[in-house]
Amino acid sequence: MLRHLLLIWCMLTAAHARPQSTSSYSIIPQPRSITCTTDTFPLSASTLIQFNGPCESEASLLKITLKEAGIANAEVVPWAPDERSENIIILSCGATSTPSPEELSFLPGNLGKLPVSQNSGQYSISMNAQAVHVKASDAAGVFYAIQTLRQMLFQHTAITGRILLPCAQIQDQPAFVHRGMLLDCCRHFMSVDFVKRYIDLLALHKMNVLHWHLTEDQGWRIEIKAYPKLTEVGAWRIEKNGLRYGGYYTQDDIREIVAYAQKRHVMVIPEIELPGHAVAALASYPQFSCTGEPIAVQNDWGVFKDIYCAGNDDTFTFLRTVLDEVCALFPAPYIHIGGDEVPKYRWENCSKCQKRMSDEKLSSEAELQTWFINRIAAYLKEKNKQIIGWDEIIEGGIPERAVVQVWRDMEHGREAASDGHSVVMSPTSHCYFDYGLQSIDLEKVYAFDPVPTTFTAEERALVRGGECNMWTEHAPQELVDSKVFPRLLAMAEVLWTYPKTRNCAAFRARVNTHQKQLQSLGVQSGFAEIPVTFTQAPGWYGMTKVTIAAVDPGTTLTYKHMPLEGGADDPRGFIPVTHPIDVKGACSIRVKAKQPTSDHETEITRYFVSHEGMGKTLTLNYELNSYYPGGGKDALIDGRIGSTDFRDGVWQATQGKDMQAVLDLGALRDISFVRTRWYHYTNAWIFRPEEVRYEYSTDGVTWKIMDTIKAPGALNTLNEQLPYSYAVEAEPGTYAGRYIRMTAINSGPCPPWHEAAGAESWMFVDELEVR
Ligand SMILES: [Zn+2]
């Protein structure tokens, strides 16, 4: 509350003192404490930068920052007492510059015992008309102060080489020590410049870890001198279109990137996946797989059964040699060894692996995996490196000193923490930036709490922080920005500030301001949420009226309307959205939305149908499933039809139950057409109904059968993701009724051939159309 009062006060006083400008700053992540004053500090080419303590490198970065803001040629010199008392920026770093405990009273109380290393990154900025004084406990703190200044400077334009920077007093420090982003350069390769650019973007938002995913089934990306085939063979795959795709980082590239990151206080943690996600390595050196058979670098996404052979001692010689070179390249105290998604099929069928299990008295392949990882961890410990692994590494017992990175449920983090292991949180629920905005939008990320309330104080203290994960199966380099931004801003603020209460509206306002700075840096930011809303209602002459609106008024929308059952597409192509659209029959509406501050454009398609049932009275004789309500109790007559994605929110489902719905048309009608559409996707346990019965009635009491439609064809193993249509059509005058009753019979448990044989199957329906 105090901070808010101060901000309001400073805006008010600024308004009195300097009616031409505002001195409230919009900074992401929000500093812990910021108090504006009415003074201004004049910045120009004659401003002197002085550094006091081991922060000369940071001082030269400040010079670059000033140049970016239009202040060229500021001089950088070591601090000397009485050299100058005006027009100076002093950067002080070291123990004597550490803010006092009183200055840190803003620390959140709900973090439990803070790790000792928490002090890294603390800084304060005090400004008056004569000087800007940055004090920090270490060089990282000086660097973060400069990032804060960089955002402040951007909000004030240089006029003829001079900026009058409104003064502020700022105190700040990070909540979590590990503030990271995973960049997957394997599924798609990213250039050296692109990786360095991401290091800059992370640093601007006070993130300090680049988790660099360097080896995968689809590509090995790091040069290993002892094993040249890893990059001659493993770095390249033949795509399904026949084209060769790939690339890798030479050891010189890696040294360049690591040095660049070090200067910006970003730790680069390499991920060398084992024992799974190793197809590219095994394509290069098949002798380290269980079968020894030649395989190709994967060109498909998923989890693959070929993994390193745990029974072959040569595998460990190979991995140790690889890790020797990796350790020499990366100064970070951590090596990420993956450990996720390890199918045990090859190990179960490999005599060498089975012999290893009996020699080592291991009772399961899960224990063999732990043994494998322990062996690697012990080797890395000799080299003074600690392992980080995905949360599956805890399954056969947690390897000693391992840091566990949680990607599944955060309870796995508790399991690790209760055993005394440090954890890094990156659950799929909030941190997977490859996911679409329908599941993880900006507000969802902003609500992320890396420290679940169920954790004890001791467990909380072991949460080092979190990461957002940018997997790139569906994101080549040119799409990465639109996935990462603006969601990264929310992640940065959660991990740095760990706000106790999240004022999302205030955060969104700062994001809007900050987008201009991202734009100036060439960031092709995506949307904060799905940018378009569609609402539909019964229209004139039995048509459906669809209203399309942009969530952010700055978004440019165009659309194209396409009939699904005959009729021509709109010959005009995509045209501006100016008024509601009337649709007749079934159609798709494709909307292109253009982001206001970048070139990013996205396309969103929705499906609609017009029919007489819309807006009438529907009674469901089944309970809505909480995961798939399909839009609620009137979803079957809302005029929306589903896409080929059963999770699109339009499909309504039940599991193991029949479905019956009664529609009251309000008056006696001649019924000539009734149709329902049913999803069929056996991999997801979704089966079309055994039969659908349509009945009609004049009073809702006595029913007559219109038709009973059996499932089209015998139940088979078809796995298409397609709807089946169950329709009845009649000549006019055949059926006169006010009520229609639809009954769908579930096809029973998953059949014997199914992987989930005997489990209750699902039925998914989108609309009950009546004409
Ligand atoms: Zn084996």
Side-chain angles (χ1 to χ4, degrees):
M1 178 52 94
L2 182 63
R3 186 194 302 158
H4 288 176
L5 288 176
L6 287 170
L7 269 177
I8 291 163
W9 172 82
C10 97
M11 286 162 73
L12 288 174
T13 49
H16 286 296
R18 297 165 37 78
Q20 302 303 312
S21 86
T22 168
S23 61
S24 72
Y25 283 108
S26 177
I27 297 165
I28 294 176
Q30 171 90 326
R32 300 304 186 86
S33 163
I34 176 165
T35 311
C36 302
T37 66
T38 53
D39 288 340
T40 54
F41 175 77
L43 264 161
S44 67
S46 61
T47 300
L48 189 66
I49 301 170
Q50 295 186 325
F51 61 91
N52 182 11
C55 54
E56 185 176 0
S57 162
E58 288 68 28
S60 54
L61 284 174
L62 175 60
K63 179 177 174 159
I64 295 169
T65 298
L66 293 184
K67 193 174 172 195
E68 180 187 72
I71 309 292
N73 302 322
E75 199 185 342
V76 178
V77 295
W79 179 78
D82 307 325
E83 183 173 309
R84 201 202 273 192
S85 61
E86 286 204 339
N87 200 9
I88 47 171
I89 302 176
I90 305 169
L91 308 177
S92 306
C93 138
T96 53
S97 300
T98 303
S100 67
E102 292 73 38
E103 285 178 292
L104 300 174
S105 57
F106 49 79
L107 268 180
N110 57 346
L111 260 182
K113 187 165 65 71
L114 291 164
V116 178
S117 52
Q118 200 78 72
N119 291 336
S120 175
Q122 286 172 350
Y123 71 90
S124 68
I125 303 173
S126 53
M127 298 170 68
N128 58 35
Q130 287 76 44
V132 175
H133 197 158
V134 168
K135 289 202 301 182
S137 52
D138 57 5
V142 173
F143 180 78
Y144 296 135
I146 293 167
Q147 299 317 304
T148 297
L149 287 168
R150 190 177 176 196
Q151 293 195 26
M152 291 164 71
L153 282 165
F154 185 81
Q155 289 159 35
H156 294 274
T157 315
I159 296 163
T160 56
R162 201 171 132 91
I163 294 177
L164 285 174
L165 194 63
C167 291
Q169 311 301 320
I170 296 172
Q171 289 168 352
D172 207 3
Q173 84 165 53
F176 293 100
V177 292
H178 188 117
R179 305 179 301 277
M181 179 175 125
L182 174 149
L183 187 61
D184 170 8
C185 293
C186 297
R187 272 57 176 264
H188 281 99
F189 182 69
M190 316 280 158
S191 72
V192 171
D193 283 346
F194 187 84
V195 176
K196 285 162 74 175
R197 175 174 173 271
Y198 259 84
I199 289 164
D200 267 332
L201 289 169
L202 291 175
L204 175 62
H205 302 102
K206 305 187 176 78
M207 303 275 276
N208 65 351
V209 173
L210 175 68
H211 171 174
W212 201 7
H213 193 72
L214 284 168
T215 73
E216 252 308 336
D217 298 316
Q218 296 86 3
W220 182 282
R221 305 278 175 238
I222 168 172
E223 181 189 26
I224 300 294
K225 304 270 191 197
Y227 293 100
K229 279 194 206 163
L230 285 171
T231 39
E232 286 164 18
V233 176
W236 306 93
R237 64 177 182 250
I238 305 301
E239 297 282 38
K240 287 173 182 158
N241 59 12
L243 296 176
R244 185 168 182 260
Y245 178 91
Y248 65 92
Y249 305 99
T250 65
Q251 295 203 348
D252 282 343
D253 291 339
I254 287 168
R255 277 187 282 267
E256 180 185 335
I257 285 169
V258 168
Y260 191 85
Q262 270 185 317
K263 264 195 137 175
R264 286 152 185 84
H265 297 273
V266 172
M267 181 198 293
V268 183
I269 299 178
E271 181 175 357
I272 307 298
E273 277 262 21
L274 53 89
H277 288 283
V279 169
L282 297 175
S284 316
Y285 295 96
Q287 61 266 42
F288 305 130
S289 73
C290 287
T291 66
E293 308 266 320
I295 53 172
V297 177
Q298 263 299 338
N299 65 359
D300 208 349
W301 316 127
V303 175
F304 304 96
K305 59 179 181 292
D306 284 300
I307 63 177
Y308 291 115
C309 179
N312 182 351
D313 284 332
D314 293 346
T315 305
F316 292 94
T317 309
F318 166 78
L319 287 172
R320 280 196 298 265
T321 309
V322 167
L323 290 170
D324 285 345
E325 294 194 26
V326 170
C327 290
L329 287 168
F330 294 91
Y334 305 101
I335 303 282
H336 203 301
I337 51 83
D340 61 319
E341 299 180 324
V342 183
K344 306 298 190 306
Y345 176 80
R346 289 293 191 215
W347 287 358
E348 286 162 6
N349 294 286
C350 170
S351 56
K352 296 188 290 278
C353 286
Q354 293 301 314
K355 180 167 186 306
R356 178 80 74 194
M357 283 170 62
S358 73
D359 289 352
E360 300 290 335
K361 303 189 171 42
L362 304 170
S363 61
S364 66
E365 281 75 16
E367 285 185 16
L368 181 59
Q369 180 175 344
T370 303
W371 176 88
F372 191 115
I373 288 170
N374 273 334
R375 200 164 164 180
I376 297 295
Y379 183 69
L380 287 170
K381 190 182 172 187
E382 283 172 29
K383 303 178 78 72
N384 222 5
K385 301 278 187 186
Q386 202 173 346
I387 65 160
I388 306 182
W390 297 106
D391 59 45
E392 284 101 324
I393 66 168
I394 67 183
E395 278 168 10
I398 306 180
E400 194 195 346
R401 289 181 80 240
V403 176
V404 175
Q405 180 165 11
V406 175
W407 70 281
R408 300 176 298 174
D409 191 284
M410 295 218 277
E411 272 302 303
H412 294 296
R414 190 159 78 139
E415 204 182 317
S418 69
D419 234 8
H421 291 263
S422 294
V423 295
V424 171
M425 294 295 194
S426 58
T428 52
S429 57
H430 294 79
C431 303
Y432 271 48
F433 286 5
D434 53 325
Y435 286 17
L437 293 170
Q438 68 276 14
S439 47
I440 301 181
D441 63 12
L442 184 68
E443 292 199 9
K444 181 85 181 268
V445 180
Y446 198 59
F448 174 49
D449 187 346
V451 191
T453 51
T454 55
F455 280 33
T456 65
E458 291 75 26
E459 288 162 358
R460 285 203 297 270
L462 288 164
V463 178
R464 294 180 56 80
E467 284 185 10
C468 45
N469 293 348
M470 185 60 233
W471 299 108
T472 59
E473 282 94 334
H474 306 289
Q477 179 174 303
E478 62 273 19
L479 284 185
V480 170
D481 279 10
S482 67
K483 303 254 182 194
V484 172
F485 290 95
R487 293 186 283 193
L488 180 111
L489 306 178
M491 185 60 70
E493 182 147 314
V494 167
L495 295 176
W496 177 274
T497 307
Y498 195 37
K500 252 179 159 175
T501 52
R502 315 277 166 102
N503 182 342
C504 207
F507 172 66
R508 289 295 294 269
R510 279 184 287 119
V511 168
N512 286 343
T513 304
H514 190 66
Q515 288 277 18
K516 295 180 195 81
Q517 187 159 16
L518 294 178
Q519 187 176 16
S520 80
L521 295 169
V523 173
Q524 296 298 332
S525 189
F527 289 99
E529 66 267 291
I530 291 180
V532 190
T533 60
F534 295 81
T535 43
Q536 70 291 333
W540 298 106
Y541 309 112
M543 291 194 283
T544 293
K545 183 195 288 286
V546 179
T547 305
I548 301 167
V551 175
D552 173 349
T555 305
T556 311
L557 299 182
T558 54
Y559 80 100
K560 189 176 180 187
H561 165 223
M562 300 159 74
L564 294 176
E565 296 171 318
D569 290 357
D570 190 324
R572 296 169 296 177
F574 282 87
I575 54 173
V577 175
T578 52
H579 52 73
I581 303 160
D582 290 312
V583 303
K584 181 105 184 131
C587 74
S588 69
I589 296 178
R590 289 165 59 190
V591 174
K592 282 184 183 172
K594 158 85 175 55
Q595 219 274 5
T597 62
S598 76
D599 298 332
H600 176 69
E601 190 174 66
T602 190
E603 191 172 310
I604 294 150
T605 304
R606 295 285 183 275
Y607 302 88
F608 299 92
V609 67
S610 62
H611 64 96
E612 315 278 329
M614 283 186 74
K616 302 297 193 301
T617 306
L618 188 72
T619 309
L620 303 180
N621 295 332
Y622 54 89
E623 302 243 318
L624 290 180
N625 180 279
S626 59
Y627 293 107
Y628 303 104
K633 68 178 192 53
D634 289 326
L636 297 190
I637 52 167
D638 65 2
R640 299 187 305 157
I641 49 178
S643 67
T644 53
D645 177 5
F646 65 88
R647 303 178 204 83
D648 66 8
V650 177
W651 293 98
Q652 188 171 83
T654 58
Q655 188 179 17
K657 291 190 187 71
D658 298 338
M659 294 167 97
Q660 189 179 65
V662 177
L663 179 64
D664 177 359
L665 295 168
L668 206 61
R669 291 296 180 85
D670 182 19
I671 304 158
S672 61
F673 177 81
V674 185
R675 175 168 66 180
T676 48
R677 298 191 327 147
W678 301 83
Y679 206 85
H680 185 77
Y681 182 36
T682 61
N683 264 12
W685 309 11
I686 302 169
F687 291 82
R688 81 283 179 276
E690 193 57 40
E691 65 175 50
V692 175
R693 186 166 67 243
Y694 297 114
E695 297 162 289
Y696 69 105
S697 168
T698 54
D699 56 8
V701 179
T702 311
W703 296 93
K704 289 181 188 163
I705 290 182
M706 299 169 75
D707 203 355
T708 300
I709 300 149
K710 296 283 181 194
L715 188 60
N716 55 35
T717 59
L718 276 182
N719 196 31
E720 70 243 273
Q721 283 174 259
L722 284 174
Y724 279 101
S725 202
Y726 292 67
V728 50
E729 280 184 82
E731 293 294 319
T734 313
Y735 304 118
R738 171 175 165 174
Y739 299 91
I740 295 167
R741 187 160 74 182
M742 180 281 295
T743 308
I745 308 298
N746 183 290
S747 66
C750 295
W753 52 259
H754 196 270
E755 60 169 86
E760 288 185 333
S761 68
W762 290 83
M763 290 199 300
F764 276 67
V765 62
D766 60 353
E767 192 79 358
L768 172 61
E769 295 169 54
V770 178
R771 285 171 206 148

